[in-house]
């Protein structure tokens, strides 16, 4: 059986057949047409089988929009959290411009000055923009080295005053060093060589007879110049002993009179003039004892001053006010930081009351309050802002008075005068002043130079427009800016500059209690420097450092130990 079924068999599977394949490649012969009608079939309509399944319509992607929204929110949140780091990745056009001008000034030899164009000023302005900028830090170091070279050249040319100026700048920038000490000795030696000892001795003896013991033309300084030329000069050595005896007598007299501040100042002068004077330790001990006696009264005054502040007894007649107690504390210790801060708090309370009076249109009362605050906090930033508001109130009051008079003459209704409109010239002037104030603030020119300092420029803008928000905000932001600049100066080891910033801060925000921490920190740095100077035998430098520390931390135990070590020559 072949398994193939007959073609007529209908009951099974029919196998496919190809038919006759002979002549498959020959041209086909068209079959003759018959008489039946002919129908054509459109190729597009031929059915080749079941139509392919239609692709389902794409559904709307409803999940896409929420996902995109979440991504956007995530990016915004990341940018907000990391904004400082991202900002650091963007090059600062202003910073690069300042650094470029600083480099050019250094190349041109314009090292220092007060015109805002010197290399030192520009590098310090760059540090204000970006405190950790290595290029600015290295630039300041190069300026210091250039000042050393300038001082060296001036010494060789005999220009001692010019050499001293350059050396002082180098000391501020470099914080001392072997080159600074070497040049200091060379300048002193060169100056001594130009002076005749005989003439100095005659002047010193006359000053001693006249009672002029200290000062540039005092007997002590003149005798010291003689000893710089001739260290074994017997007349000068005996004269120095007489000067020291005279200063010691003045210090004891001040202590007996209860004037501890005057006694302390005299003892400090004596320590600078003759650090090994035999009675210096006993004088310092007497000062400490006097301080202990005063400490009880001082603490009581400070406590009662704070109590009066909390009770609202700010100032006025009588001695039971915060102002009276803090003034009494300063009479005991003129450098007491807490008492100074208390006076600042009194000023701040008066300024708050003055602002309330301005809000109530009570110009007269506000003027009285601000005048009282200005008597012991004249440079307060808040005081300047309040005075600007008061000036604007007075201008509106004058305009209302004129409007009332005009309306009365015309039998019309009296309204309120609208705020004065600034002229285009005034608006442009304010814009320039604000721009210059911002630049001065970044350069560290907070209170100086007069007229071009950030403080004066912001006040000038407020004098034109007392309600200018940018000027008021800039003025009141100065204390925060100065605090940052103080911290930067401390990081750089520039204690002289830091002390200047601390003075600016005490002027701008006299009631800020946080200044005491900054003051103690700076005093500690001065004492660290004094200890290092004592270790290498630099007694004059240690004396100056301890004098700085003494102004900041009166009665500090470590300070007294270092002063005793200085007096003992250890």
């Amino acid at each position: 059986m072949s398994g193939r079924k007959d073609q007529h068999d209908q009951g099974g599977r029919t196998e496919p057949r190809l038919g006759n394949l002979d002549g498959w490649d020959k041209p086909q012969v068209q079959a003759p047409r018959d008489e039946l009608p002919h129908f054509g079939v459109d190729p597009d309509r031929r059915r080749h089988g079941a139509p392919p399944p239609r692709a389902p319509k794409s559904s709307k992607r409803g999940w896409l929009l929420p996902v995109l929204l979440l991504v956007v929110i995530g990016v915004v949140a990341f940018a907000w959290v990391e904004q400082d780091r991202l900002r650091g990745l963007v090059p600062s056009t202003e910073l690069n411009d300042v650094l470029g001008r600083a480099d050019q000034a250094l190349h041109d030899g314009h090292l220092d000055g007060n015109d805002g164009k010197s290399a030192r000023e520009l590098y310090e302005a760059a540090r204000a923009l970006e405190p950790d900028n290595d290029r600015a830090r290295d630039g300041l170091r190069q300026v210091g080295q250039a000042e050393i070279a300038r001082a060296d050249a001036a010494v060789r040319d005999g220009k001692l005053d010019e050499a001293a100026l350059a050396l002082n700048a180098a000391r501020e920038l470099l914080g001392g060093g072997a080159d600074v000490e070497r040049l200091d000795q060379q300048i002193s030696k060169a100056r001594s060589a130009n002076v005749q000892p005989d003439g100095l001795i005659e002047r010193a003896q006359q000053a001693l007879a006249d009672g002029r013991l200290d000062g540039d033309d005092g007997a002590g300084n003149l005798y010291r110049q003689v000893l710089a030329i001739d260290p074994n000069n017997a007349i000068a050595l005996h004269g120095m002993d007489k000067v020291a005896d005279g200063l010691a007598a003045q210090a004891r007299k001040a202590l007996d009179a209860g004037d501890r501040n005057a006694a302390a100042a005299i003892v400090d002068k004596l320590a600078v003039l003759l650090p090994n004077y035999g009675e210096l330790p006993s004088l310092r001990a007497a000062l400490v004892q006097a301080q202990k006696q005063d400490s009880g009264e001082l603490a009581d005054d400070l406590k009662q001053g704070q109590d009066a502040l909390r009770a609202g007894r700010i100032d006025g007649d009588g001695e039971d006010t915060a102002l009276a107690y803090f003034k009494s504390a300063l009479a005991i210790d003129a450098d007491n930081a807490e008492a100074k801060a208390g006076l600042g708090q009194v000023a701040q309370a008066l300024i708050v009351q003055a602002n309330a009076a301005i809000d109530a249109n009570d110009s007269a009362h506000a003027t009285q309050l601000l005048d009282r605050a200005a008597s012991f906090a004249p440079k307060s930033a808040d005081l300047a802002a309040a005075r600007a508001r008061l000036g604007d109130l007075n201008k509106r009051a004058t305009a209302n008075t004129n409007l009332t008079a005009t309306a009365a003459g015309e039998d019309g209704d009296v309204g309120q005068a609208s705020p004065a409109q600034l002229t285009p010239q005034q608006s442009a002037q304010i814009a320039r002043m604000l721009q210059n104030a911002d630049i001065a603030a970044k350069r560290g020119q907070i209170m100086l130079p007069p007229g071009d300092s950030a403080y004066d420029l912001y006040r000038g803008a407020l004098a034109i427009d007392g309600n200018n928000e940018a000027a008021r905000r800039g003025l009141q932001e100065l204390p925060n800016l100065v605090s940052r600049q103080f911290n930067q100066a401390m990081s750089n080891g520039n204690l002289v500059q830091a002390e200047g910033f601390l003075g600016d801060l005490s002027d701008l925000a006299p009631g800020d209690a946080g200044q005491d921490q900054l003051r103690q920190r700076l005093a500690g740095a001065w004492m660290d420097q004094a200890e290092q100077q004592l270790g290498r035998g630099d007694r004059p430098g240690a004396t100056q450092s301890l004098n700085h520390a003494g102004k900041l931390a009166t009665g500090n135990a470590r300070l007294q130990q270092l002063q005793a070590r200085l007096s003992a020559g250890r």
Side-chain angles (χ1 to χ4, degrees):
M1 291 180 60
S2 64
R4 187 177 65 181
K5 292 186 179 182
D6 188 76
Q7 60 179 343
H8 299 291
D9 188 357
Q10 303 293 328
R13 178 170 176 238
T14 302
E15 295 291 338
R17 299 178 180 179
L18 296 177
N20 187 8
L21 297 179
D22 295 335
W24 63 271
D25 55 345
K26 296 180 180 180
Q28 294 184 358
V29 179
Q30 186 174 359
R33 293 178 60 90
D34 53 18
E35 299 299 328
L36 297 175
H38 181 74
F39 297 95
V41 180
D42 190 344
D44 294 338
R45 295 178 180 268
R46 293 175 183 171
R47 300 186 60 175
H48 298 284
R54 298 179 65 183
K57 294 182 180 180
S58 58
S59 60
K60 293 184 180 179
R61 294 173 177 153
W63 53 269
L64 184 59
L65 184 58
V67 169
L68 288 175
L69 184 59
L70 288 174
V71 170
V72 171
I73 293 174
V75 171
V76 171
F78 175 79
W80 175 260
V81 172
E82 300 291 336
Q83 57 179 315
D84 293 334
R85 189 166 64 87
L86 293 174
R87 191 181 296 115
L89 300 176
V90 180
S92 171
T93 303
E94 181 182 3
L95 176 62
N96 291 335
D97 175 66
V98 173
L99 287 171
R101 288 188 288 126
D103 292 342
Q104 186 61 47
L106 178 60
H107 180 269
D108 295 341
H110 187 14
L111 303 180
D112 204 351
N114 295 314
D115 58 358
K117 299 178 181 179
S118 68
R120 177 177 179 176
E121 291 173 293
L122 290 169
Y123 281 128
E124 287 177 345
R127 293 294 298 275
L129 291 172
E130 187 177 306
D132 296 328
N133 187 275
D134 292 334
R135 184 175 164 191
R137 184 186 300 112
D138 186 61
L140 286 173
R141 182 187 59 78
Q142 292 182 54
V143 173
Q145 294 294 342
E147 293 284 13
I148 289 286
R150 188 162 72 96
D152 245 330
V155 169
R156 288 194 301 270
D157 295 340
K159 300 176 181 178
L160 301 182
D161 290 340
E162 181 180 335
L165 289 174
L167 184 61
N168 287 336
R171 184 181 287 109
E172 291 177 359
L173 291 168
L174 302 176
D179 287 333
V180 173
E181 298 301 327
R182 172 181 58 81
L183 284 168
D184 199 12
Q185 293 174 6
Q186 288 181 1
I187 292 172
S188 299
K189 184 177 180 180
R191 281 178 169 164
S192 300
N194 296 330
V195 179
Q196 297 300 320
D198 293 340
L200 285 174
I201 289 176
E202 292 178 4
R203 291 170 55 194
Q205 289 175 331
Q206 185 61 50
L208 184 60
D210 295 339
R212 290 184 286 108
L213 303 180
D214 60 332
D216 292 340
D217 199 33
N221 185 50
L222 294 170
Y223 281 130
R224 188 166 58 178
Q225 292 182 43
V226 174
L227 291 172
I229 302 170
D230 182 7
N232 297 317
N233 189 289
I235 298 176
L237 289 172
H238 183 63
M240 286 291 282
D241 288 337
K242 288 186 176 181
V243 171
D245 290 341
L247 290 174
Q250 292 180 4
R252 291 193 190 91
K253 184 177 180 180
L255 283 171
D256 292 339
D259 192 350
R260 187 177 60 83
N261 294 322
I266 296 171
V267 170
D268 287 340
K269 292 177 183 178
L270 179 55
V272 172
L273 188 64
L274 201 62
N276 295 325
Y277 181 63
E279 294 189 34
L280 196 56
S282 62
L283 286 171
R284 292 199 183 281
L287 279 173
V288 172
Q289 186 62 32
Q291 181 183 2
K292 290 180 179 178
Q293 293 175 358
D294 291 339
S295 60
E297 296 179 15
L298 177 64
D300 188 57
D301 283 338
L302 292 174
K303 180 181 181 303
Q304 293 191 63
Q306 291 296 333
D307 291 342
L309 268 178
R310 285 189 288 270
R313 301 191 309 275
I314 308 301
D315 69 339
D317 298 332
E319 298 182 355
D320 192 25
T321 65
L323 179 61
Y325 285 122
F326 290 131
K327 283 186 174 181
S328 176
L330 287 173
I332 298 172
D333 181 4
D335 294 323
N336 186 272
E338 191 174 348
K340 289 181 178 179
L343 279 183
Q345 291 174 306
V346 170
Q348 190 63 34
L350 294 173
I351 293 169
V352 170
Q353 293 178 2
N355 278 315
I358 292 172
D359 292 338
N361 295 325
D362 190 348
S363 175
H365 190 208
T367 300
Q368 293 175 356
L369 291 167
L370 293 180
D371 286 345
R372 294 211 298 271
S375 64
F376 41 88
K379 296 181 180 179
S380 164
D382 289 336
L383 173 66
R387 283 204 183 280
R389 290 191 65 213
L390 178 61
D392 192 68
L393 174 64
N394 291 334
K395 289 178 183 178
R396 292 202 309 270
T398 301
N400 285 331
T401 301
N402 295 336
L403 184 63
T404 301
T406 301
E410 297 177 357
D411 294 332
D413 293 334
V414 179
Q416 290 291 324
S418 59
Q421 297 296 319
L422 297 176
T423 66
Q425 291 80 7
Q426 288 176 320
S427 297
Q429 183 181 4
I430 290 176
R432 286 193 301 271
M433 295 176 80
L434 292 178
Q435 182 180 15
N436 292 336
D438 291 342
I439 294 173
K442 291 175 182 177
R443 288 176 178 168
Q445 298 172 336
I446 307 300
M447 309 299 289
L448 294 173
D452 292 325
S453 66
Y455 176 79
D456 287 340
L457 289 167
Y458 283 132
R459 285 199 311 160
L462 286 171
I464 300 173
D465 180 9
N467 285 320
N468 188 282
E469 185 60 29
R472 186 182 304 162
R473 186 172 58 250
L475 185 64
Q476 294 177 324
E477 178 62 21
L478 285 180
N480 294 329
L481 176 62
V482 173
S483 294
R484 293 194 294 271
Q485 292 174 339
F486 169 87
N487 289 328
Q488 185 59 54
M490 290 292 293
S491 299
N492 296 340
N494 195 334
L495 305 187
V496 173
Q497 188 181 49
E499 194 165 316
F501 285 135
L502 187 61
D504 290 343
L505 189 59
S506 64
D507 286 338
L508 291 167
D512 184 7
Q515 291 179 34
D516 185 55
Q517 295 180 353
L518 302 182
R519 190 176 291 104
Q520 296 300 325
R521 180 182 165 196
L522 179 57
W526 279 118
M527 286 185 275
D528 290 342
Q529 179 169 296
E531 195 160 11
Q532 294 171 5
Q533 291 166 330
L534 284 171
R536 61 175 181 262
D538 182 8
R539 296 173 57 77
T543 300
Q544 293 180 2
S545 297
L546 292 178
N547 286 339
H548 282 286
K551 296 176 182 178
L552 299 166
T554 306
N556 181 282
R558 184 188 174 198
L559 175 64
Q560 293 171 3
Q561 293 173 358
L562 289 170
Q563 287 171 336
R565 181 179 166 187
L566 177 65
S567 301
R570 292 183 280 111

